[in-house]
DNA sequence: ATGGCACGGCAACCGTGA
C-alpha cells in the first residue's frame, strides 16, 4: 500500500498540480488537508477520471479535508468524536485494506490567543482518545495529516520558528509524545533518524530557497504496520513547482 | 538590520495560516 498526505492550501488553486502528482506517484490513498471549500466545490470528477473515489469533509473558506483512493474503502467517521465544537472540517476516517486510516488537519493554535491554543490542545486530547479506542479494538491504524506539530528541535531549521509558537510549545509537544506512547511509530523519523527532514516552507522570507523548513506533516502507524514500512519521505520536489502549496506530500509505502 | 507571501470572501482589506 502506498499512502500519502498533503496539505494543498486550496484544492481549487492546486487541482492541476495535485492531479499531475497523483498520475506520477500513483498513491493508493491520498489524504488532503486545507482544501478550503465545501464538498460541492471539490473537483471530484477530475480525480474520478484518474480512477480515484473522493470522500470530502468540506467547509467554506477554511480547513477542509478529503480522501482520494483507488482501492475500495468504507467511511468510518467524518469528525473526531468528543466535543460538539467541530463546526471545523478537520477529520476524516476510512477503513481500507484492513487498515483504519485517519486523515487529519490539526488546529494551528496560533490564532485566537490562549483560547485558540486551548482548542488545539483539546483537539489533540480527542485525537489521542480516538486512537486509543481504535487500537484497543485491535485495529491496524494510520494517523496521517498536517499535525501542526514540530515534534523536536531537529524538526525545525534554526530560525524558522519562534519558541512561543503553538507548533513547538511544550504542551503541544507533550501531547504529540502521548500519541506516540500509545505505540505509534513516526514513519518518516523511524526511517530517517538522523536526517534533516522538512515538509513545510513558509511562502515568506525566502524560506524555501534558504531551506528554512519545518517537519509538521506526519504519518503515524501502529506497531504491526511499522514492521511493514518500506519507504517514508516527503516529496521535496513539489515545493519547487510554480504556484506550489507551502507543504509537500509525505509518502509512505507498506509491503 | 530588516522586510519579505498566499488563500477565500468580497468587493476594501482582513482573518488565517505557520
Amino acid at each position: 500500500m502506498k499512502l500519502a498526505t498533503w496539505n494543498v492550501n486550496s484544492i481549487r488553486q492546486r487541482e492541476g498540480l495535485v492531479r499531475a502528482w497523483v498520475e506520477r506517484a500513483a498513491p493508493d490513498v491520498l489524504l488532503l488537508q486545507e482544501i478550503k471549500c465545501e464538498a460541492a466545490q471539490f473537483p471530484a470528477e477530475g480525480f474520478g477520471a484518474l480512477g480515484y473515489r473522493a470522500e470530502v469533509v468540506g467547509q467554506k473558506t477554511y480547513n477542509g479535508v478529503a480522501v482520494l483512493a483507488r482501492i475500495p474503502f468504507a467511511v468510518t467517521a467524518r469528525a473526531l468524536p468528543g466535543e460538539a465544537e467541530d463546526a471545523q472540517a478537520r477529520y476524516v476516517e476510512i477503513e481500507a485494506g484492513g487498515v483504519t486510516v485517519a486523515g487529519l488537519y490539526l488546529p494551528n493554535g496560533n490564532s485566537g490567543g490562549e483560547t485558540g491554543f486551548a482548542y488545539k490542545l483539546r483537539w489533540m486530547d480527542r485525537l489521542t482518545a480516538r486512537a486509543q479506542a481504535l487500537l484497543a479494538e485491535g485495529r491496524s491504524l494510520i494517523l496521517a495529516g498536517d499535525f501542526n506539530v514540530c515534534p523536536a528541535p531537529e524538526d525545525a531549521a534554526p530560525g524558522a520558528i519562534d519558541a512561543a509558537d503553538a507548533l513547538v510549545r511544550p504542551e503541544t509537544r507533550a501531547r504529540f509524545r502521548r500519541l506516540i506512547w500509545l505505540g505509534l511509530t513516526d514513519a518518516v523519523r523511524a526511517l530517517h533518524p538522523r536526517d534533516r527532514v522538512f515538509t513545510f516552507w513558509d511562502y515568506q522570507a525566502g524560506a524555501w530557497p534558504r531551506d528554512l523548513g519545518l517537519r509538521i506533516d506526519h504519518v503515524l502507524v501502529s506497531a504491526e504496520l511499522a514492521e511493514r514500512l518500506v519507504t517514508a519521505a516527503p516529496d521535496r520536489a513539489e515545493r519547487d513547482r510554480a504556484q506550489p502549496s507551502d507543504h509537500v506530500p509525505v509518502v509512505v509505502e507498506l509491503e
Side-chain angles (χ1 to χ4, degrees), chain A residues 54 64 109 114 121 147 153 172 185 187 190 204 217 253:
Chain A
E114 285 305 305
L121 298 182
F147 282 68
T172 304
T185 294
Q204 301 184 68
D217 302 271
E253 287 177 284

Side-chain angles (χ1 to χ4, degrees), chain A residues 125-240:
Chain A
D125 290 339
R126 290 161 60 206
L127 178 63
T128 304
R130 180 61 172 174
Q132 191 163 26
L134 292 167
L135 291 169
E137 292 174 15
R139 309 266 190 99
S140 290
L141 180 63
I142 299 177
L143 303 183
D146 177 357
F147 282 68
N148 271 314
V149 177
C150 194
E154 59 269 27
D155 297 315
I161 195 166
D162 188 85
D165 196 287
L167 279 63
V168 299
R169 279 176 64 168
E171 303 94 318
T172 304
R173 285 179 163 165
R175 277 168 179 78
F176 187 83
R177 285 195 297 274
R178 208 184 299 162
L179 262 179
I180 294 294
W181 290 338
L182 294 177
L184 299 171
T185 294
D186 176 343
V188 169
R189 191 46 87 201
L191 295 191
H192 304 278
R194 305 273 173 230
D195 296 347
R196 173 183 166 97
V197 182
F198 302 137
T199 65
F200 163 90
W201 295 261
D202 202 294
Y203 288 120
Q204 301 184 68
W208 167 244
R210 297 161 66 198
D211 198 23
L212 295 182
L214 306 172
R215 193 175 74 93
I216 56 177
D217 302 271
H218 308 296
V219 179
L220 308 186
V221 306
S222 54
E224 70 290 342
L225 295 180
E227 295 182 15
R228 291 166 51 191
L229 277 173
V230 181
T231 67
D235 187 348
R236 281 177 64 102
E238 287 305 302
R239 190 62 179 79
D240 232 3

Side-chain angles (χ1 to χ4, degrees), chain A residues 13 24-25 31 43 45 65 67 71 76 88 99 104 109-110 124 141 150 160 165 196 201 210 214 235 246 251:
Chain A
Q13 293 294 322
R24 275 197 315 280
L31 306 165
E45 320 74 34
V65 294
V67 181
I71 58 175
T76 50
Q88 303 187 13
V99 180
L104 60 102
N110 281 309
M124 295 188 80
L141 180 63
C150 194
D165 196 287
R196 173 183 166 97
W201 295 261
R210 297 161 66 198
L214 306 172
D235 187 348
D246 40 5
V251 187

